[in-house]
Amino acid sequence: MDAGNLSARSPSLSIRKHRRRNSHDDNLDRFIPNRAAMDFDFANYMLTGRKVEKESASPYSPWRESYQKQLAEIFNVNRPRILAFKNKPPTTPLDGVKEIPTPSTASKRAKRMRDISQSSERTLDAPELVDDYYLNLLDWGVTNTIAIALGNSVYLWDASEGMSSELLSTNNDIGPVTSVKWAPDGRHIAVGFNNSEVQLWDSSTNRLLRTLRGHGLRVGSLDWNNHILTTGSMDSLIINNDVRIRSHNIGTYRGHHQEVCGLKWSTSGQQLASGGNDNLLFIWDRSSNQRLHRFSDHSSAVKALAWCPFQSNLLASGGGIGDQCVKFWNSNTGVCLNSVNTGSQVSCLLWNRHEREILSSHGFDDNQLILWKYPSMVKLAELHGHTKRVLHMSQSPDGYKVASLGADETLRFWNVFGTPEVTKNVKAEEPFASFARIR
């Protein structure tokens, strides 16, 4: 068969070598492999890492040896390196070869190189703030409005407009205010008082809607689960209140022996974490109203609680001055996954909703905020500015900014979790734009 008639060759199940037209036509040599002639047994041995000698060719494949030799000669191929990786492939570009960044790698690199400001971008005065570690006096609602309790009053600060207003003010018989928590709708707000009452307010009209009673001492912790408002008190009780009905007390959790200073519902609304001044941490089941787990690993008050946004059964907890640890729990199994000693009192924990990071706020002795990489718990940044202990933190609705409340009577804002990505309105490309149109 000559070179000019290569396209007319007949099919064959064996390996055929085209005859050379002359001594200068070496480039016309072709080998057409078929499955019967390929050494799959040897390939399997090499892929599985077995150090064995090659067996002789089997009777049913007479072309095997000649095919292997000719293939190696023509293509100068080292067969073992093709069929098996003995070493891990390089993770960095080869010397002299520049890596061409793709949009995905470029965005990942930009996230790794995120600039974290070491100073607060704004500071507001917070006079008459009650310096009490066990209270929760700050919350950032979904309408971008911050509620802060100062003495006997609650003030609202519009983070978009930078304007403040007074929601309520009471007397010493009821106050001071001991806790605040926005409802999920961003309009209604729950306020706990020193006299054991909890009030519901409409922030749009500055009107008191109702008063909830049931505790015997001050209410220092609050959290919402849809229309259920859960309250924790110095009387060691936890009460679930259905704010839609007159008989609002629909369940009471008993287990703590001292003040309940931390409450946090999971994202699913099925599990409630509670921490107390008795150094105990509980996880409660919503459907059965029963206790799932009781943890006594902390050696000081447990106020800081945070459910992970990217792993529903992961809970972080922080201990007070005698403990100083951040612990991570599997709420399904009850296993403590990790414990990290931060070196100072832990007052609050916030997860980054956009990266695998967690932020902790601290009291004695450094009064700082620490950003950690999860799960390695490597410190990414330490934020200083407060001159006294940080009592509480709250996160903006978009999850990027953090407000911290300190005993130095200041409210500081930090751009710690990055900057929101600005999406441009790009005109959608017309489908089949590259094809000629029929006019």
Side-chain angles (χ1 to χ4, degrees), residues 50-89:
R50 300 176 183 176
K51 305 300 182 181
V52 296
E53 295 294 331
K54 183 180 182 301
E55 296 180 358
S56 59
S58 58
Y60 61 82
S61 56
W63 303 98
R64 181 176 297 175
E65 290 289 340
S66 60
Y67 171 72
Q68 305 298 338
K69 293 178 181 179
Q70 294 176 31
L71 184 65
E73 290 175 1
I74 294 175
F75 295 103
N76 192 24
V77 173
N78 186 350
R79 293 180 66 250
R81 295 304 302 160
I82 291 178
L83 299 179
F85 287 102
K86 293 183 179 179
N87 299 318
K88 293 183 179 180

Side-chain angles (χ1 to χ4, degrees), residues 55-334:
E55 296 180 358
S56 59
S58 58
Y60 61 82
S61 56
W63 303 98
R64 181 176 297 175
E65 290 289 340
S66 60
Y67 171 72
Q68 305 298 338
K69 293 178 181 179
Q70 294 176 31
L71 184 65
E73 290 175 1
I74 294 175
F75 295 103
N76 192 24
V77 173
N78 186 350
R79 293 180 66 250
R81 295 304 302 160
I82 291 178
L83 299 179
F85 287 102
K86 293 183 179 179
N87 299 318
K88 293 183 179 180
T91 57
T92 58
L94 299 177
D95 293 339
V97 181
K98 294 183 178 180
E99 181 184 11
I100 301 177
T102 62
S104 60
T105 58
S107 62
K108 291 179 180 179
R109 189 175 303 154
K111 290 180 179 179
R112 289 196 297 267
M113 300 300 293
R114 183 175 91 242
D115 182 27
I116 303 174
S117 176
Q118 302 297 305
S119 59
S120 57
E121 62 179 16
R122 177 178 291 184
T123 303
L124 301 179
D125 290 328
E128 300 184 20
L129 175 69
V130 178
D131 182 5
D132 193 323
Y133 172 81
Y134 304 101
L135 306 184
N136 295 272
L137 306 177
L138 176 71
D139 195 32
W140 202 332
V142 296
T143 59
N144 207 21
T145 301
I146 291 178
I148 179 172
L150 300 176
N152 293 336
S153 303
V154 174
Y155 293 88
L156 305 181
W157 188 77
D158 190 327
S160 301
E161 303 294 334
M163 302 294 292
S164 63
S165 61
E166 182 182 278
L167 175 68
L168 67 91
S169 184
T170 187
N171 54 45
N172 292 329
D173 294 335
I174 299 177
V177 178
T178 52
S179 54
V180 293
K181 190 67 178 179
W182 283 103
D185 61 6
R187 175 178 175 178
H188 300 95
I189 184 171
V191 183
F193 291 92
N194 190 60
N195 73 337
S196 77
E197 293 181 354
V198 177
Q199 296 180 359
L200 298 182
W201 286 76
D202 186 335
S203 65
S204 63
T205 60
N206 284 24
R207 185 167 61 95
L208 174 62
L209 300 179
R210 67 180 303 183
T211 300
L212 307 177
R213 296 179 176 87
H215 288 292
L217 295 171
R218 71 177 186 180
V219 179
S221 55
L222 304 165
D223 200 26
W224 289 89
N225 185 359
N226 294 322
H227 54 272
I228 304 297
L229 174 63
T230 304
T231 58
S233 171
M234 186 181 278
D235 63 9
S236 75
L237 297 180
I238 301 171
I239 299 178
N240 286 331
N241 303 271
D242 189 336
V243 299
R244 304 170 301 174
I245 59 179
R246 180 179 295 274
S247 301
H248 53 83
N249 188 336
I250 60 172
T252 300
Y253 299 148
R254 293 177 171 86
H256 286 285
H257 308 302
Q258 295 186 39
E259 181 170 16
V260 179
C261 51
L263 285 176
K264 195 70 65 175
W265 280 101
S266 63
T267 305
S268 65
Q270 295 303 310
Q271 293 182 344
L272 172 69
S274 67
N277 194 23
D278 51 8
N279 310 342
L280 295 177
L281 168 63
F282 288 94
I283 297 180
W284 311 86
D285 180 66
R286 171 70 182 90
S287 58
S288 64
N289 280 336
Q290 298 296 319
R291 185 181 74 195
L292 289 178
H293 303 290
R294 177 186 183 274
F295 304 121
S296 58
D297 299 50
H298 285 288
S299 56
S300 191
V302 183
K303 176 190 176 185
L305 299 171
W307 290 94
C308 180
F310 53 84
Q311 186 175 336
S312 60
N313 63 332
L314 177 60
L315 173 69
S317 63
I321 187 62
D323 181 81
Q324 306 180 358
C325 291
V326 175
K327 298 181 183 294
F328 298 91
W329 310 87
N330 184 321
S331 65
N332 292 337
T333 63

